Amino acid sequence: IKTTHPYCLPSSATAVMAQQLPLGFQDLKLASLYSAYLDTSYRAILERRRDRWDRVYGQAIAHNRPLRLKWRLKRFIRKGIPHCYRAHVWAYCARVNALRAQYSQDYISSLLRTSLPQDTLVQITADIPRTHVDSKYFSLLHGAGDVEDVALLQPCNLEAIKQFVTPDHPTLRPHLYQILHAYAIHNPSVGYCQGLNFIAGTLLLVTRNVASSFWLLVALVRNVGSDYYESLWGARRDATVLERLFQVCDPELYQHFSSTGTPFGLTNVKWFVSLFTSSLPVETVLRTWDAVFSEGSEALFRVALSLTIRQREKLLQTKLHHELIEAAASLDTRAVECHEVLTSAFAIKLTWRTIVRHRATVEEEQRMEEKQAESRRIAYTRQQEADKLKEREGREGRGERGERVVSFVKEQQQAEAGAKASIDSREVDIVKHTAVTVLV
């Protein structure tokens, strides 16, 4: 069972530059940092953890038996799963076998035979070329290596994946399309959301199996909450929860953010949407996901708090608003010291009950804000209607007064005309009477 760990790169920095980071990532700056980290301490940790996993769980994993001693398994997972065991342990923690048993064996193929809505198809095909562009397995310049379930390509939308299929330089892009296509049909309430491409791509890099990656994606989205992707409401809610936890964990740093007018939640929504895949170095992402599959989204809060608190001195020295935003946005870009990040994350005093309580408070506040906003909208609409009614009545009133004036003028004119006619008649009578008198 024991083999050389794929992350144990040569100690020479030059050799590392010529090689790659875990899972084919090729960022030279990160490679240099990762090489130094391996030489400092992490290589020994990897070797020690691999030996422990081999002795305790190696045989069970090799023979696909249940992993006993849950309390020990949780502790082992927190310290990192060896890469050769990672896909199996993730599937075990996510109960993928029970999930797959609920559907037919050709379920994924049937999903791929179903056409996507045009807008979803456009989004997926636009995002795939942007996914893990620094990994050679998603690059058009390198081969993808062996990937299982290649036969699933046949029932897929061949026209949609034609742009991703390059016979001379095969990549994982068409396989990523399959996963995203199948998931969009499987869960229409979510469909496709930006961020899922990075998550599915990471799963594919670990499992190298389309079906396994699909079922892990289903389990992962279900466990962390589909409201992260249906409307992003869940991610915004948890960003607010994280801000309140941050206020409790480090009041001084939180006050520093507040005094500069910098909202702490401005930079961490992306952490929840992409589950750190678009920001953290890959080894730190994998260590974080080890805990997420084992303990749920509580691990996301722990890692987010750890990333921030570990850089507190740098953040406290930053005084200007825009500089603090830049510093907060770059907290995760060089977090290669994954073992220290996770160790400090699990040292934070935090329980799932606390997170649930904060979530309930934020959701209640959101409902109250929505009710108040709806009340303001209704009041504004009624005021607009009242103003329009008043204006209409004013116009009608002015019209009635105008009609009365015209009628009065006409009556006056008629009265004057009648009086004049009466006078004229009397004058005629007087003339006639005078004429008669003269004749007599």
Side-chain angles (χ1 to χ4, degrees):
I1 299 174
K2 188 173 181 180
T3 59
T4 302
H5 197 286
Y7 299 171
C8 293
L9 305 181
S11 58
S12 169
T14 304
V16 173
M17 292 296 184
Q19 304 264 342
Q20 67 273 339
L21 285 164
L23 304 183
F25 285 85
Q26 298 177 309
D27 186 316
L28 295 183
K29 291 183 178 179
L30 281 179
S32 178
L33 293 172
Y34 191 68
S35 171
Y37 180 51
L38 280 171
D39 290 340
T40 301
S41 60
Y42 196 48
R43 190 191 312 278
I45 293 173
L46 289 175
E47 294 174 353
R48 184 169 62 252
R49 298 313 307 163
R50 175 61 188 274
D51 289 339
R52 292 284 289 161
W53 275 88
D54 285 345
R55 289 199 302 270
V56 178
Y57 292 110
Q59 290 297 326
I61 293 174
H63 295 89
N64 200 27
R65 295 198 300 265
L67 304 181
R68 305 294 184 186
L69 302 175
K70 297 288 183 67
W71 60 271
R72 178 180 287 179
L73 179 62
K74 178 179 178 180
R75 180 163 55 86
F76 269 45
I77 291 174
R78 284 189 169 191
K79 294 181 179 181
I81 305 172
H83 185 67
C84 58
Y85 296 147
R86 182 164 273 131
H88 183 97
V89 177
W90 283 3
Y92 176 80
C93 292
R95 300 181 179 179
V96 165
N97 289 338
L99 184 62
R100 298 177 82 159
Q102 300 175 20
Y103 301 89
S104 62
Q105 291 184 351
D106 64 340
Y107 179 65
I108 298 178
S109 296
S110 67
L111 295 176
L112 293 174
R113 286 192 291 267
T114 306
S115 299
L116 285 172
Q118 185 60 30
D119 57 339
T120 304
L121 179 62
V122 170
Q123 284 183 318
I124 292 176
T125 53
D127 283 347
I128 286 179
R130 307 168 188 162
T131 305
H132 293 319
V133 293
D134 50 349
S135 172
K136 71 175 186 179
Y137 300 115
F138 282 97
S139 170
L140 296 180
L141 302 178
H142 299 82
D146 295 330
V147 181
E148 300 178 36
D149 291 342
V150 176
L152 287 177
L153 281 173
Q154 185 58 34
C156 190
N157 186 334
L158 296 179
E159 289 298 320
I161 68 171
K162 186 182 296 183
Q163 59 181 306
F164 306 130
V165 177
T166 53
D168 296 334
H169 301 286
T171 74
L172 293 180
R173 290 184 179 185
H175 306 282
L176 176 60
Y177 173 83
Q178 290 180 306
I179 298 169
L180 297 176
H181 180 135
Y183 186 80
I185 301 299
H186 169 78
N187 191 350
S189 63
V190 172
Y192 173 74
C193 172
Q194 285 186 330
L196 289 178
N197 55 319
F198 285 99
I199 296 172
T202 303
L203 291 170
L204 188 57
L205 286 170
V206 171
T207 66
R208 298 303 182 87
N209 182 293
V210 173
S212 297
S213 299
F214 169 78
W215 291 115
L216 283 173
L217 178 63
V218 172
L220 190 58
V221 173
R222 180 191 60 190
N223 291 342
V224 301
S226 59
D227 53 1
Y228 276 16
Y229 308 100
E230 290 177 357
S231 63
L232 296 183
W233 149 241
R236 291 193 295 267
R237 174 204 62 203
D238 282 355
T240 305
V241 171
L242 177 62
E243 184 170 3
R244 299 187 180 185
L245 295 173
F246 173 53
Q247 183 179 5
V248 175
C249 291
D250 198 329
E252 181 184 3
L253 186 54
Y254 177 82
Q255 181 60 34
H256 179 62
F257 271 87
S258 301
S259 63
T260 58
T262 306
F264 179 70
L266 186 66
T267 60
N268 56 44
V269 173
K270 64 177 182 178
W271 291 347
F272 292 100
V273 174
S274 68
L275 306 184
F276 292 108
T277 53
S278 62
S279 49
L280 283 177
V282 59
E283 177 71 356
T284 313
V285 171
L286 297 177
R287 289 290 303 274
T288 301
W289 281 24
D290 290 346
V292 169
F293 276 106
S294 174
E295 304 179 36
S297 55
E298 177 185 334
L300 299 177
F301 291 95
R302 289 184 174 277
V303 172
L305 291 171
S306 174
L307 289 171
T308 306
I309 295 173
R310 281 171 56 82
Q311 298 293 327
R312 72 184 311 275
E313 297 303 326
K314 176 182 176 181
L315 294 172
L316 287 173
Q317 293 173 4
T318 307
K319 303 299 181 183
L320 299 180
H321 172 73
H322 67 279
E323 292 179 352
L324 189 57
I325 291 179
E326 293 176 359
S330 62
L331 286 173
D332 46 22
T333 55
R334 292 294 182 265
V336 295
E337 298 176 348
C338 54
H339 192 70
E340 287 70 21
V341 171
L342 270 295
T343 300
S344 62
F346 292 116
I348 295 173
K349 293 182 178 180
L350 179 64
T351 63
W352 179 244
R353 182 177 298 178
T354 302
I355 295 173
V356 171
R357 185 175 69 251
H358 281 294
R359 277 180 171 178
T361 302
V362 172
E363 289 172 357
E364 181 61 26
E365 291 174 354
Q366 180 64 22
R367 283 192 292 269
M368 292 299 297
E369 290 177 2
E370 290 175 354
K371 288 181 180 179
Q372 292 174 0
E374 181 66 15
S375 299
R376 290 193 295 269
R377 187 190 66 79
I378 293 174
Y380 176 78
T381 302
R382 289 177 177 175
Q383 184 63 39
Q384 291 289 99
E385 293 175 352
D387 292 342
K388 289 180 181 179
L389 179 61
K390 186 176 181 180
E391 183 179 355
R392 185 167 60 250
E393 290 176 348
R395 287 197 302 269
E396 292 175 354
R398 289 192 296 272
E400 291 178 358
R401 287 195 297 272
E403 291 176 358
R404 288 197 297 270
V405 169
V406 171
S407 177
F408 177 75
V409 170
K410 287 182 179 180
E411 290 176 358
Q412 290 295 326
Q413 290 175 347
Q414 290 175 358
E416 291 176 357
K420 183 177 181 181
S422 177
I423 293 172
D424 292 342
S425 177
R426 285 197 301 271
E427 289 179 349
V428 170
D429 291 341
I430 292 172
V431 170
K432 287 180 179 180
H433 179 73
T434 303
V436 171
T437 303
V438 171
L439 290 175
V440 173

